[in-house]
Amino acid sequence: METQELLDRIAINVVQGRVEAEDEGFDEGFENQPAVIELVEEALENGISPSDILIKGLTSSMTVVGEKFETGEYLIPDMLASAEAVGAGMDILTPHLLKAGIESKGKFVIATVSGDLHDIGKNIVAIMLKGAGYEVVDLGVDVPASRIIETVKKHNAPYLGLSALLTTTMRNMDEVIDGLKEAGLRNQTKVCIGGAPTSQDFADQIGADKHCNDAFAVLDWLKAAA
Amino acid sequence: MITIAEKINATIPSVKKIIETRDRGKLLELARTQSKAGADYLDVNVGTGTGSRQDEIDSMRWAVTMIQEEVETPLCIDSADPDVLAAGLAARDGRPALINSTKGSDEHLNKVVPLAREYGQPLVGLAMDEEGIPATVTARVAACSKIVSTCAENRVGMDNVFFDPLVLPVSTDVKQGLVTLETIRALKEQFQKAHIVMAVSNVSFGLPERRIFNTAFLHMAIFAGLDTAILDVLNPDLMGAIKTAEAIMGRDRHCRKYARFWRNR
């Protein structure tokens, strides 16, 4: 297959949310055709550069997925499938990218704050960030403020994402931001927050940089912040 | 889930007329619409209840030949008479088919199971014996065990057997829904490789809001182990109920089939 055709096929399969050949896509009729894993491997074998595969194949098409999600054509599982496909491609590409000396776009620490066990939205954000070239440190759910701050410090992370789905637990974001200030990290770490009860007003109130509605809003914010 | 489309059945008056008048066009229309709706098998039952046995044999040959000339979907050859089953199987021109059915009685088993072996096609085994449909789970499973023995003698593998636990209306005996569900569970436990097939709509006979009753029963049956349903594939409630159950049972990755079903409606 020609380089351009391969990259296009990878992009199409990301939009279809197909990790491997046996997966069915969003539309009918894709089964048993090569999907992201097979196509990324073929692209590497053909000598296409890992960064081209990443940018022109894997991540550019996530914009399409984002649009489809926004218009309601795609549902949560469709978006998850696409994010999974990007993640699978990334797993293959990462060692090649490292070898080629391509740097990640930066470390992004992400966590659901203390007392809160919700993780679906946080996981979607984590996968999408990984796909977009960030090095994601996912601390999971119910993470105490002290641990989040330690991790930011340890990795010297320029970005932190906090999630909470309850009105009672969103208050715990406050503690994280205060802790960052106390540790002298607030100026070097940009903080975004998300989760159903949160808002830009709330972000302003606790001194976070940004409130994001979904994973695509996080990517837009990062693009603007870079 | 495997779906078997129920509409080509001569106990329905309009279909009886199609069979008696050899109305090829209408027969094919029934076959095509059900095939397009996603049926995995088309049931073909030509027993009009009025003609002779030879009439039913001729009708089966005609129907199988006509449908297979035009439609790819495999047929479920349906008759209580082993000779009619044999005629349908011979007419099917080497294509896959499901033999529907045998009871758990010697006389019937000894004629139908050899057909499954001879033609190498799967068969439906009804959980009933010489006396009829047993009222208890134990007796229904016993009837199926008898089918298992005959299949073993004929070297018909369990993966080629579809057990039908049978369904009686809940309106006449309120315990019957549970008897069927527990029979499904027991059969699935004892004969893990076998399929379980059931006609859904009988359960709600004589009751209001049958579609709600039927879909609830279908969901419970799928949870208990049902993997094949004989149903009206043109009914979106039932087909939607199957997609719903598949998603809830974790058999529909990313809910693709469920979402696509509603998207395409």
Side-chain angles (χ1 to χ4, degrees):
Chain A
M1 233 183 280
E2 295 295 317
T3 299
Q4 193 53 50
E5 196 193 340
L6 253 174
L7 293 173
D8 289 348
R9 289 275 295 277
I10 292 171
I12 289 168
N13 277 282
V14 167
V15 176
Q16 287 293 330
R18 298 182 63 242
V19 174
E20 53 193 344
E22 67 183 33
D23 288 345
E24 57 184 307
F26 179 85
D27 295 309
E28 259 167 299
F30 278 92
E31 264 157 90
N32 301 321
Q33 290 180 41
V36 167
I37 286 184
E38 292 87 358
L39 293 165
V40 168
E41 275 165 357
E42 191 182 338
L44 285 170
E45 276 166 30
N46 288 10
I48 304 177
S49 83
S51 63
D52 272 359
I53 301 175
L54 175 68
I55 295 160
K56 294 178 187 164
L58 288 178
T59 55
S60 61
S61 43
M62 278 315 275
T63 321
V64 180
V65 174
E67 285 162 10
K68 285 175 182 287
F69 183 65
E70 228 146 78
T71 60
E73 185 188 355
Y74 269 28
L75 308 172
I76 287 172
D78 302 317
M79 189 175 57
L80 272 177
S82 292
E84 223 173 79
V86 171
M90 280 300 291
D91 287 342
I92 301 172
L93 281 183
T94 304
H96 297 271
L97 288 166
L98 290 175
K99 219 190 288 170
I102 291 160
E103 284 176 24
S104 90
K105 288 187 186 162
K107 288 197 175 172
F108 193 111
V109 175
I110 191 167
T112 300
V113 294
S114 151
D116 200 315
L117 297 169
H118 296 86
D119 68 351
I120 297 172
K122 171 192 69 68
N123 292 347
I124 295 174
V125 173
I127 295 174
M128 298 277 285
L129 287 171
K130 197 175 151 198
Y134 292 85
E135 203 173 320
V136 177
V137 183
D138 187 347
L139 295 175
V141 297
D142 189 15
V143 187
S146 58
R147 212 177 131 220
I148 297 176
I149 291 148
E150 266 165 42
T151 310
V152 169
K153 194 172 180 181
K154 184 179 150 202
H155 291 277
N156 208 8
Y159 308 109
L160 170 65
L162 299 174
S163 171
L165 265 289
L166 303 171
T167 49
T168 48
T169 55
M170 64 192 252
R171 291 278 146 209
N172 299 334
M173 292 178 168
D174 210 346
E175 200 187 327
V176 180
I177 305 231
D178 287 347
L180 281 178
K181 282 180 194 158
E182 276 166 35
L185 297 166
R186 184 65 190 91
N187 288 334
Q188 64 185 70
T189 307
K190 292 195 167 71
V191 183
C192 71
I193 64 163
T198 62
S199 63
Q200 186 58 50
D201 278 352
F202 180 70
D204 295 340
Q205 196 187 315
I206 62 169
D209 293 292
K210 180 73 180 170
H211 167 261
C212 296
N213 265 324
D214 54 32
F216 299 103
V218 179
L219 291 178
D220 287 344
W221 171 64
L222 287 169
K223 221 179 268 174
Chain B
M1 284 288 289
I2 301 168
T3 53
I4 303 175
E6 68 182 8
K7 285 202 179 230
I8 304 178
N9 190 319
T11 55
I12 304 166
S14 60
V15 179
K16 181 179 176 182
K17 205 177 146 205
I18 290 172
I19 301 298
E20 283 172 348
T21 60
R22 295 287 189 262
D23 188 338
R24 180 175 177 274
K26 285 211 172 113
L27 178 76
L28 289 178
E29 195 188 313
L30 273 179
R32 279 199 199 100
T33 49
Q34 295 187 111
S35 169
K36 218 179 266 174
D40 296 305
Y41 287 96
L42 303 176
D43 194 75
V44 179
N45 183 328
V46 296
T48 55
T50 47
S52 68
R53 161 184 269 189
Q54 190 55 46
D55 287 339
E56 193 180 338
I57 289 174
D58 293 342
S59 297
M60 183 59 91
R61 259 190 214 122
W62 172 76
V64 168
T65 310
M66 289 301 122
I67 296 168
Q68 293 218 321
E69 272 174 16
E70 301 283 335
V71 179
E72 287 285 327
T73 309
L75 303 182
C76 175
I77 296 166
D78 182 359
S79 175
D81 184 335
D83 290 337
V84 177
L85 293 175
L89 284 163
R92 109 215 113 90
D93 195 23
R95 302 253 289 271
L98 179 57
I99 305 167
N100 187 12
S101 57
T102 181
K103 304 188 275 192
S105 68
D106 283 328
E107 194 201 344
H108 216 234
L109 279 169
N110 292 334
K111 284 181 184 162
V112 181
V113 178
L115 289 174
R117 182 187 54 188
E118 184 186 342
Y119 289 98
Q121 301 302 318
L123 87 164
V124 175
L126 307 179
M128 62 189 288
D129 49 30
E130 289 88 350
E131 328 253 285
I133 302 176
T136 66
V137 176
T138 324
R140 289 197 197 179
V141 173
C144 291
S145 299
K146 197 164 177 150
I147 297 172
V148 172
S149 313
T150 313
C151 285
E153 285 159 22
N154 284 276
R155 296 190 305 282
V156 172
M158 269 302 105
D159 50 335
N160 268 330
V161 177
F162 289 68
F163 286 118
D164 185 337
L166 297 171
V167 185
L168 292 172
V170 168
S171 59
T172 57
D173 176 358
V174 81
K175 294 235 162 65
Q176 280 306 317
L178 195 56
V179 167
T180 299
L181 294 173
E182 285 181 346
T183 302
I184 293 174
R185 197 186 285 286
L187 289 171
K188 199 72 209 168
E189 232 172 71
Q190 284 190 39
F191 313 110
Q192 285 166 15
K193 281 190 183 161
H195 295 276
I196 313 280
V197 61
M198 181 177 90
V200 177
S201 56
N202 213 17
V203 73
S204 60
F205 177 79
L207 293 174
E209 298 297 339
R210 291 187 68 177
R211 63 197 187 100
I212 290 175
F213 208 94
N214 290 344
T215 51
F217 185 55
L218 181 60
H219 283 157
M220 292 179 188
I222 290 171
F223 182 62
L226 185 82
D227 60 37
T228 308
I230 304 178
L231 77 175
D232 176 3
V233 295
L234 305 179
N235 181 331
D237 290 329
L238 288 174
M239 291 300 267
I242 286 179
K243 305 284 187 249
T244 310
E246 294 272 69
I248 293 173
M249 296 290 283
R251 295 195 286 245
D252 180 14
R253 215 161 97 78
H254 294 308
C255 307
R256 294 289 204 197
K257 294 189 171 76
Y258 176 82
R260 194 183 293 138
F261 178 81
W262 298 110
R263 183 161 76 237
N264 290 344
R265 292 206 57 79

